[in-house]
């Protein structure tokens, strides 16, 4: 293969970039300044990493003794959050990934009738903090949480989609 003068310069420049200590090879998670809130303000993904986009996950049935397709079968926001994140954790594990590889999360919360139609953010956080920001799993994703009018089932209060990076 014959290289032109420009190709050699570009190849040399690329080699210098790769050899430079400032060239990020790891995922960088930026904390929210002066905050202990358990999300990242931003996450940087270095070149060459593979992103994995998981579709939205909805809650599994939490109480099989409750009437099928009833709100009681799925539980409150915290119960649904734990169920959804457990499902995501299992799906990631099957792909050779973990919750520590999650870099972005989008959370869709329906207003809880038991909370006057307002989303139960505290309930969501009660489930979320079992999976993120723990001693065993300190990696925090960037995250958005929003209240939506409804999800695929009137009994769902939570749907979560994540993006992970393959280490």
């Amino acid at each position: 293969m014959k290289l032109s003068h420009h190709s050699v310069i570009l190849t040399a420049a690329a080699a210098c970039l790769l050899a430079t200590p400032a060239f990020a090879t790891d995922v960088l998670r930026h904390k929210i300044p002066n905050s202990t809130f358990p999300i990242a303000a931003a996450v940087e993904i270095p070149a060459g990493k593979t992103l994995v986009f998981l579709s939205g996950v909805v809650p599994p049935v939490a109480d099989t003794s409750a009437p099928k397709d009833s709100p009681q079968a799925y539980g409150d926001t915290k119960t649904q959050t734990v169920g959804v994140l457990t499902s995501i954790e299992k799906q990631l594990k099957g792909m050779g990934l973990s919750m520590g590889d999650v870099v972005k999360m989008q959370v869709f919360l329906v207003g809880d009738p038991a909370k006057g139609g307002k989303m139960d953010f505290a309930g969501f956080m009660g489930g979320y903090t079992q999976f993120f920001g723990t001693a065993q799993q300190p990696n925090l994703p960037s995250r958005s949480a929003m209240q939506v009018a409804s999800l695929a089932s009137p009994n769902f209060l939570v749907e979560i989609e994540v993006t992970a990076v393959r280490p």
Side-chain angles (χ1 to χ4, degrees), residues 119-130:
M119 69 177 183
D120 181 6
F121 190 72
F124 163 73
M125 288 300 292
Y128 171 86
T129 55
Q130 293 179 35

mmCIF file with all atom_site columns, all heavy atoms in Angstrom, residues 119-130:
data_model
loop_
_atom_site.group_PDB
_atom_site.id
_atom_site.type_symbol
_atom_site.label_atom_id
_atom_site.label_alt_id
_atom_site.label_comp_id
_atom_site.label_asym_id
_atom_site.label_entity_id
_atom_site.label_seq_id
_atom_site.pdbx_PDB_ins_code
_atom_site.Cartn_x
_atom_site.Cartn_y
_atom_site.Cartn_z
_atom_site.occupancy
_atom_site.B_iso_or_equiv
_atom_site.pdbx_formal_charge
_atom_site.auth_seq_id
_atom_site.auth_comp_id
_atom_site.auth_asym_id
_atom_site.auth_atom_id
_atom_site.pdbx_PDB_model_num
ATOM 1  N N   . MET A 1 119 ? -46.307 12.491 40.049 1.00 0.00 ? 119 MET A N   1
ATOM 2  C CA  . MET A 1 119 ? -45.316 11.412 40.027 1.00 0.00 ? 119 MET A CA  1
ATOM 3  C C   . MET A 1 119 ? -44.685 11.277 41.400 1.00 0.00 ? 119 MET A C   1
ATOM 4  O O   . MET A 1 119 ? -44.484 12.267 42.105 1.00 0.00 ? 119 MET A O   1
ATOM 5  C CB  . MET A 1 119 ? -44.259 11.642 38.952 1.00 0.00 ? 119 MET A CB  1
ATOM 6  C CG  . MET A 1 119 ? -43.306 12.771 39.180 1.00 0.00 ? 119 MET A CG  1
ATOM 7  S SD  . MET A 1 119 ? -42.093 12.828 37.842 1.00 0.00 ? 119 MET A SD  1
ATOM 8  C CE  . MET A 1 119 ? -41.060 14.162 38.404 1.00 0.00 ? 119 MET A CE  1
ATOM 9  N N   . ASP A 1 120 ? -44.380 10.048 41.752 1.00 0.00 ? 120 ASP A N   1
ATOM 10 C CA  . ASP A 1 120 ? -43.780 9.745  43.053 1.00 0.00 ? 120 ASP A CA  1
ATOM 11 C C   . ASP A 1 120 ? -42.263 9.686  42.875 1.00 0.00 ? 120 ASP A C   1
ATOM 12 O O   . ASP A 1 120 ? -41.670 8.628  42.797 1.00 0.00 ? 120 ASP A O   1
ATOM 13 C CB  . ASP A 1 120 ? -44.332 8.419  43.571 1.00 0.00 ? 120 ASP A CB  1
ATOM 14 C CG  . ASP A 1 120 ? -43.787 8.040  44.942 1.00 0.00 ? 120 ASP A CG  1
ATOM 15 O OD1 . ASP A 1 120 ? -43.069 8.859  45.557 1.00 0.00 ? 120 ASP A OD1 1
ATOM 16 O OD2 . ASP A 1 120 ? -44.076 6.907  45.374 1.00 0.00 ? 120 ASP A OD2 1
ATOM 17 N N   . PHE A 1 121 ? -41.642 10.880 42.823 1.00 0.00 ? 121 PHE A N   1
ATOM 18 C CA  . PHE A 1 121 ? -40.194 10.944 42.603 1.00 0.00 ? 121 PHE A CA  1
ATOM 19 C C   . PHE A 1 121 ? -39.439 10.334 43.779 1.00 0.00 ? 121 PHE A C   1
ATOM 20 O O   . PHE A 1 121 ? -38.435 9.647  43.587 1.00 0.00 ? 121 PHE A O   1
ATOM 21 C CB  . PHE A 1 121 ? -39.751 12.392 42.364 1.00 0.00 ? 121 PHE A CB  1
ATOM 22 C CG  . PHE A 1 121 ? -38.331 12.504 41.897 1.00 0.00 ? 121 PHE A CG  1
ATOM 23 C CD1 . PHE A 1 121 ? -37.976 12.114 40.616 1.00 0.00 ? 121 PHE A CD1 1
ATOM 24 C CD2 . PHE A 1 121 ? -37.342 12.986 42.749 1.00 0.00 ? 121 PHE A CD2 1
ATOM 25 C CE1 . PHE A 1 121 ? -36.655 12.205 40.180 1.00 0.00 ? 121 PHE A CE1 1
ATOM 26 C CE2 . PHE A 1 121 ? -36.026 13.080 42.318 1.00 0.00 ? 121 PHE A CE2 1
ATOM 27 C CZ  . PHE A 1 121 ? -35.687 12.689 41.029 1.00 0.00 ? 121 PHE A CZ  1
ATOM 28 N N   . ALA A 1 122 ? -39.933 10.536 44.983 1.00 0.00 ? 122 ALA A N   1
ATOM 29 C CA  . ALA A 1 122 ? -39.273 9.952  46.162 1.00 0.00 ? 122 ALA A CA  1
ATOM 30 C C   . ALA A 1 122 ? -39.318 8.431  46.091 1.00 0.00 ? 122 ALA A C   1
ATOM 31 O O   . ALA A 1 122 ? -38.332 7.754  46.407 1.00 0.00 ? 122 ALA A O   1
ATOM 32 C CB  . ALA A 1 122 ? -39.920 10.451 47.444 1.00 0.00 ? 122 ALA A CB  1
ATOM 33 N N   . GLY A 1 123 ? -40.446 7.881  45.670 1.00 0.00 ? 123 GLY A N   1
ATOM 34 C CA  . GLY A 1 123 ? -40.552 6.428  45.505 1.00 0.00 ? 123 GLY A CA  1
ATOM 35 C C   . GLY A 1 123 ? -39.595 5.920  44.438 1.00 0.00 ? 123 GLY A C   1
ATOM 36 O O   . GLY A 1 123 ? -38.934 4.894  44.623 1.00 0.00 ? 123 GLY A O   1
ATOM 37 N N   . PHE A 1 124 ? -39.510 6.659  43.326 1.00 0.00 ? 124 PHE A N   1
ATOM 38 C CA  . PHE A 1 124 ? -38.552 6.298  42.278 1.00 0.00 ? 124 PHE A CA  1
ATOM 39 C C   . PHE A 1 124 ? -37.134 6.301  42.835 1.00 0.00 ? 124 PHE A C   1
ATOM 40 O O   . PHE A 1 124 ? -36.364 5.351  42.635 1.00 0.00 ? 124 PHE A O   1
ATOM 41 C CB  . PHE A 1 124 ? -38.656 7.247  41.072 1.00 0.00 ? 124 PHE A CB  1
ATOM 42 C CG  . PHE A 1 124 ? -37.456 7.169  40.181 1.00 0.00 ? 124 PHE A CG  1
ATOM 43 C CD1 . PHE A 1 124 ? -37.262 6.058  39.361 1.00 0.00 ? 124 PHE A CD1 1
ATOM 44 C CD2 . PHE A 1 124 ? -36.487 8.155  40.210 1.00 0.00 ? 124 PHE A CD2 1
ATOM 45 C CE1 . PHE A 1 124 ? -36.123 5.957  38.575 1.00 0.00 ? 124 PHE A CE1 1
ATOM 46 C CE2 . PHE A 1 124 ? -35.356 8.056  39.431 1.00 0.00 ? 124 PHE A CE2 1
ATOM 47 C CZ  . PHE A 1 124 ? -35.177 6.956  38.604 1.00 0.00 ? 124 PHE A CZ  1
ATOM 48 N N   . MET A 1 125 ? -36.765 7.356  43.544 1.00 0.00 ? 125 MET A N   1
ATOM 49 C CA  . MET A 1 125 ? -35.406 7.458  44.096 1.00 0.00 ? 125 MET A CA  1
ATOM 50 C C   . MET A 1 125 ? -35.132 6.354  45.102 1.00 0.00 ? 125 MET A C   1
ATOM 51 O O   . MET A 1 125 ? -34.006 5.855  45.196 1.00 0.00 ? 125 MET A O   1
ATOM 52 C CB  . MET A 1 125 ? -35.169 8.837  44.723 1.00 0.00 ? 125 MET A CB  1
ATOM 53 C CG  . MET A 1 125 ? -35.045 9.961  43.711 1.00 0.00 ? 125 MET A CG  1
ATOM 54 S SD  . MET A 1 125 ? -33.681 9.744  42.541 1.00 0.00 ? 125 MET A SD  1
ATOM 55 C CE  . MET A 1 125 ? -32.274 9.943  43.626 1.00 0.00 ? 125 MET A CE  1
ATOM 56 N N   . GLY A 1 126 ? -36.153 5.934  45.853 1.00 0.00 ? 126 GLY A N   1
ATOM 57 C CA  . GLY A 1 126 ? -35.990 4.837  46.805 1.00 0.00 ? 126 GLY A CA  1
ATOM 58 C C   . GLY A 1 126 ? -35.590 3.543  46.109 1.00 0.00 ? 126 GLY A C   1
ATOM 59 O O   . GLY A 1 126 ? -34.821 2.750  46.649 1.00 0.00 ? 126 GLY A O   1
ATOM 60 N N   . GLY A 1 127 ? -36.103 3.320  44.910 1.00 0.00 ? 127 GLY A N   1
ATOM 61 C CA  . GLY A 1 127 ? -35.710 2.141  44.130 1.00 0.00 ? 127 GLY A CA  1
ATOM 62 C C   . GLY A 1 127 ? -34.383 2.349  43.412 1.00 0.00 ? 127 GLY A C   1
ATOM 63 O O   . GLY A 1 127 ? -33.509 1.489  43.424 1.00 0.00 ? 127 GLY A O   1
ATOM 64 N N   . TYR A 1 128 ? -34.214 3.517  42.809 1.00 0.00 ? 128 TYR A N   1
ATOM 65 C CA  . TYR A 1 128 ? -33.011 3.848  42.036 1.00 0.00 ? 128 TYR A CA  1
ATOM 66 C C   . TYR A 1 128 ? -31.742 3.728  42.880 1.00 0.00 ? 128 TYR A C   1
ATOM 67 O O   . TYR A 1 128 ? -30.738 3.169  42.433 1.00 0.00 ? 128 TYR A O   1
ATOM 68 C CB  . TYR A 1 128 ? -33.162 5.269  41.481 1.00 0.00 ? 128 TYR A CB  1
ATOM 69 C CG  . TYR A 1 128 ? -31.928 5.848  40.837 1.00 0.00 ? 128 TYR A CG  1
ATOM 70 C CD1 . TYR A 1 128 ? -31.642 5.609  39.503 1.00 0.00 ? 128 TYR A CD1 1
ATOM 71 C CD2 . TYR A 1 128 ? -31.054 6.657  41.563 1.00 0.00 ? 128 TYR A CD2 1
ATOM 72 C CE1 . TYR A 1 128 ? -30.518 6.158  38.896 1.00 0.00 ? 128 TYR A CE1 1
ATOM 73 C CE2 . TYR A 1 128 ? -29.933 7.208  40.973 1.00 0.00 ? 128 TYR A CE2 1
ATOM 74 C CZ  . TYR A 1 128 ? -29.662 6.954  39.643 1.00 0.00 ? 128 TYR A CZ  1
ATOM 75 O OH  . TYR A 1 128 ? -28.541 7.488  39.056 1.00 0.00 ? 128 TYR A OH  1
ATOM 76 N N   . THR A 1 129 ? -31.786 4.243  44.098 1.00 0.00 ? 129 THR A N   1
ATOM 77 C CA  . THR A 1 129 ? -30.580 4.263  44.937 1.00 0.00 ? 129 THR A CA  1
ATOM 78 C C   . THR A 1 129 ? -30.198 2.881  45.466 1.00 0.00 ? 129 THR A C   1
ATOM 79 O O   . THR A 1 129 ? -29.144 2.738  46.087 1.00 0.00 ? 129 THR A O   1
ATOM 80 C CB  . THR A 1 129 ? -30.729 5.254  46.105 1.00 0.00 ? 129 THR A CB  1
ATOM 81 O OG1 . THR A 1 129 ? -31.910 4.942  46.846 1.00 0.00 ? 129 THR A OG1 1
ATOM 82 C CG2 . THR A 1 129 ? -30.793 6.697  45.604 1.00 0.00 ? 129 THR A CG2 1
ATOM 83 N N   . GLN A 1 130 ? -30.997 1.870  45.194 1.00 0.00 ? 130 GLN A N   1
ATOM 84 C CA  . GLN A 1 130 ? -30.593 0.498  45.500 1.00 0.00 ? 130 GLN A CA  1
ATOM 85 C C   . GLN A 1 130 ? -29.636 -0.039 44.433 1.00 0.00 ? 130 GLN A C   1
ATOM 86 O O   . GLN A 1 130 ? -28.947 -1.026 44.658 1.00 0.00 ? 130 GLN A O   1
ATOM 87 C CB  . GLN A 1 130 ? -31.819 -0.417 45.587 1.00 0.00 ? 130 GLN A CB  1
ATOM 88 C CG  . GLN A 1 130 ? -32.721 -0.098 46.752 1.00 0.00 ? 130 GLN A CG  1
ATOM 89 C CD  . GLN A 1 130 ? -33.943 -1.003 46.792 1.00 0.00 ? 130 GLN A CD  1
ATOM 90 O OE1 . GLN A 1 130 ? -33.873 -2.177 46.435 1.00 0.00 ? 130 GLN A OE1 1
ATOM 91 N NE2 . GLN A 1 130 ? -35.066 -0.450 47.231 1.00 0.00 ? 130 GLN A NE2 1
#
